[in-house]
Amino acid sequence: MGSSADHGGAGGRGKKQGSQLWKKALLHSCLCFVMGFFTGFAPSSVSDWTSAAVSAGGVGSSHVVRALQTAAGGAVNRSLLAHGSALIGGAGLLDAAATATPRPLLVVVTTTESAPAASGERAAALTRMAHTLRLAAPPLLWVVVEAAPDVPATARLLRTTGLMYRHLTYKDNFTAADAAAGKERHHQRNVALGHIEHHRLAGVVLFAGLGDVFDLRFFDQLRQISAFGAWPVATMARGERKVVVRGPACSASAVTGWFSQDFGGNGTAAATTARPPEVDAHGFAFNSSVLWDPERWGRYPTSEPDKSQDSMKFVQQVVLEDFSKVKGIPSDCSEVMKLLQCKESNSQKERHLH
């Protein structure tokens, strides 16, 4: 009897200890859950703490992140925290930057050549253009258009550029004669404009050829375009020793007409016209909102469908309708005319000397 009583006491103590262990485990789990729950609301880095502190003073957190990225090493956080009161109390420059209008999107459209012989040149030219666009200030969207058979190689190249891009393709076939006549490039530009219109990509559209050369300041001036912008373009033909310059004739920055000037080996011939039959695609840019303007479809009669349904022809026509809506680039584009006149005068003197 005594032996059975001892075993009963041991079993009771074992059940009591097991119940206490279970309660401790449950309490421990609850504490861990509560701590993890509240830890999720805490900032995860020093930059988040500083962002919250500066935001309390009326300065956006994006400027803090930008400041952290431009400073150097471990001194970044210490410097920012040490001068936090100065940033919050008297940040005139930061306040001005916070209220500044963001830069508009620049949509750069590049067409390609589908000839097999040009595949190697295309890859090299795309790489060169990518390096140029990477130097331009964001936001920038690069739209590359090409035929379907050329897509895989170009897709691999575009993924390594570090640029925001759209890679568009089409299945239409063009002969070598069509490509030489510019029909394929015209179709590619319409594919790009159709994509921009469909997705309402608001920004300034620029047609950049693979052989074009740009000054980085040019991209900044493009973003100032509200409707249309135009500039002189120099064209050098292969096998011909001459340069043809075409573009807007300006008075200060106001466009008053159009000019075409030929600097050839046998002399210089110049001609100025009020309105050319067509604007070079590489000589103008425009605000993309023109593409979905409700007045577009009623602007031209139904007897001229190309001017309203063909997006590229429509834009080329509209830019010539009213020069008051066209911004001359550079800001004082009349200086270009002076340089051309000086070039013409020098060439005439050289001919007299010979």
Side-chain angles (χ1 to χ4, degrees), residues 114 122 146-154 167 169-173 184:
S114 61
R122 179 173 62 248
E146 65 177 352
D150 305 320
V151 167
T154 303
H167 191 193
T169 186
Y170 56 92
K171 296 182 179 180
D172 306 69
N173 295 320
E184 184 177 15

Side-chain angles (χ1 to χ4, degrees), residues 2-352:
S3 176
S4 63
D6 291 341
H7 286 294
R13 286 194 298 272
K15 292 181 179 180
K16 186 175 181 180
Q17 290 176 355
S19 176
Q20 291 177 351
L21 290 175
W22 181 82
K23 290 181 179 179
K24 288 181 180 180
L26 180 62
L27 179 61
H28 181 73
S29 299
C30 292
L31 289 175
C32 290
F33 174 78
V34 172
M35 291 179 65
F37 180 79
F38 287 104
T39 302
F41 290 99
S44 58
S45 64
V46 177
S47 61
D48 294 334
W49 286 100
T50 53
S51 299
V54 177
S55 297
V59 181
S61 60
S62 60
H63 298 286
V64 178
V65 175
R66 192 174 299 114
L68 288 172
Q69 293 173 348
T70 54
V76 175
N77 297 333
R78 293 194 298 271
S79 175
L80 185 60
L81 293 173
H83 299 283
S85 59
L87 287 173
I88 296 173
L93 293 177
L94 288 178
D95 288 340
T99 58
T101 304
R103 285 189 295 262
L105 174 68
L106 185 59
V107 183
V108 181
V109 176
T110 298
T111 58
T112 59
E113 185 66 49
S114 61
S119 59
E121 296 180 3
R122 179 173 62 248
L126 284 169
T127 303
R128 184 183 65 84
M129 179 63 71
H131 289 319
T132 300
L133 297 181
R134 286 180 63 181
L135 298 175
L140 185 146
L141 174 64
W142 190 18
V143 179
V144 180
V145 191
E146 65 177 352
D150 305 320
V151 167
T154 303
R156 289 192 296 269
L157 187 151
L158 293 176
R159 284 194 292 266
T160 63
T161 59
L163 292 166
M164 182 171 61
Y165 69 89
R166 299 281 176 91
H167 191 193
L168 308 181
T169 186
Y170 56 92
K171 296 182 179 180
D172 306 69
N173 295 320
F174 291 89
T175 64
D178 292 337
K183 293 182 179 180
E184 184 177 15
R185 290 187 184 277
H186 183 83
H187 177 72
Q188 290 179 345
R189 294 183 183 118
N190 272 326
V191 170
L193 295 182
H195 180 83
I196 293 170
E197 180 182 0
H198 177 74
H199 293 281
R200 292 294 195 270
L201 300 178
V204 177
V205 180
L206 166 70
F207 297 103
L210 291 179
D212 293 352
V213 179
F214 299 102
D215 187 316
L216 292 179
R217 294 171 295 181
F218 173 73
F219 296 112
D220 294 330
Q221 296 192 26
L222 286 180
R223 289 189 165 96
Q224 301 174 12
I225 294 175
S226 58
F228 300 95
W231 54 88
V233 177
T235 304
M236 295 179 289
R238 289 184 177 181
E240 298 182 13
R241 299 181 59 185
K242 69 175 183 179
V243 177
V244 180
V245 181
R246 298 184 180 92
C250 301
S251 175
S253 61
V255 176
T256 58
W258 227 261
F259 77 91
S260 176
Q261 198 154 353
D262 184 355
F263 297 93
N266 298 325
T268 301
T272 302
T273 58
R275 278 178 173 80
E278 188 176 83
V279 181
D280 187 348
H282 301 288
F284 77 99
F286 64 96
N287 193 300
S288 60
S289 61
V290 174
L291 296 174
W292 51 84
D293 184 359
E295 298 181 0
R296 170 181 175 179
W297 308 110
R299 188 185 293 268
Y300 300 106
T302 55
S303 59
E304 300 179 4
D306 283 350
K307 291 184 178 180
S308 59
Q309 298 177 12
D310 188 309
S311 297
M312 189 62 199
K313 288 186 177 179
F314 168 75
V315 173
Q316 288 178 307
Q317 183 69 26
V318 172
V319 73
L320 295 174
E321 287 185 348
D322 188 357
F323 286 154
S324 64
K325 297 180 180 179
V326 182
K327 173 182 174 59
I329 296 175
S331 56
D332 189 2
C333 56
S334 60
E335 293 295 325
V336 177
M337 297 297 297
K338 294 179 182 178
L339 291 174
L340 292 177
Q341 292 172 0
C342 180
K343 172 66 177 177
E344 180 180 3
S345 176
N346 292 337
S347 62
Q348 290 175 354
K349 290 180 182 178
E350 291 177 0
R351 289 198 302 273
H352 289 315

